[in-house]
Amino acid sequence: MTAPAPDSLKFPIGKFVRPPRLTPAERAAAIDAIAATPAKFRDAVHGLSAAQLDTPYRPGGWTVRQLVHHMPDSHMNAYVRFKLALTEDNPTIKPYDEALWANLPDTAGTAPETSLTMLTVLHERWVALLRAMEPAAFSRPLVHPDNGPMNLDQLLALYAWHGPHHTAHVTSLRQRMGW
């Protein structure tokens, strides 16, 4: 058996492609993807042992445990970015160093269930906000210092991709390892 291509390990569902805007159907599908992320991610990590949680999903990549804690960290930032863009005119959002966050002591010392629960309740609030937004609100702009000008449709598309992206890291690792 040949080893998977490095890009397929890093981007198992493909790289994110930022759309200029979403159609109403694409927007609804993206919101549904965000709503489904906590359960799908929980299913992906269900039953893993401590040793399996501490296994990198790819050579040089984060461990599954780091992914478990990264998901609510990242999605919490996304939720705040949505609220900023909805309440301020073209805000510049604050990026954060994901790799440094993934190596903070709470990542190693917090039970995975804590972050899985955090992801679930965060998504309940976030999806409630997304489903209540008027269509025109998705065109509201924000500035990401690393990614440039964006609108909320683009941010929505990014996070609709992000959850399945990391879920696939875990499911593809499980498949490769026979877990």
Side-chain angles (χ1 to χ4, degrees), residues 156-176:
L156 176 66
L158 173 61
Y159 282 91
W161 169 87
H162 187 258
H165 165 70
H166 285 311
T167 300
H169 284 149
V170 178
T171 57
S172 64
L173 172 66
R174 290 184 83 140
Q175 183 178 21
R176 288 192 314 276

Side-chain angles (χ1 to χ4, degrees), residues 46-110:
H46 179 74
L48 293 178
S49 68
Q52 291 167 329
L53 287 167
D54 291 328
T55 302
Y57 73 88
R58 66 176 173 86
W62 287 347
T63 66
V64 174
R65 184 181 308 277
Q66 287 173 307
L67 289 174
V68 167
H69 297 301
H70 163 72
M71 287 284 282
D73 286 347
S74 175
H75 292 201
M76 181 172 28
N77 274 284
Y79 175 67
V80 168
R81 291 168 179 174
F82 263 84
K83 290 196 129 196
L84 288 170
L86 290 168
T87 60
E88 297 179 16
D89 291 328
N90 200 27
T92 297
I93 57 97
K94 173 128 177 45
Y96 68 102
D97 189 325
E98 296 173 344
L100 291 177
W101 282 41
N103 287 306
L104 287 171
D106 64 319
T107 298
T110 301

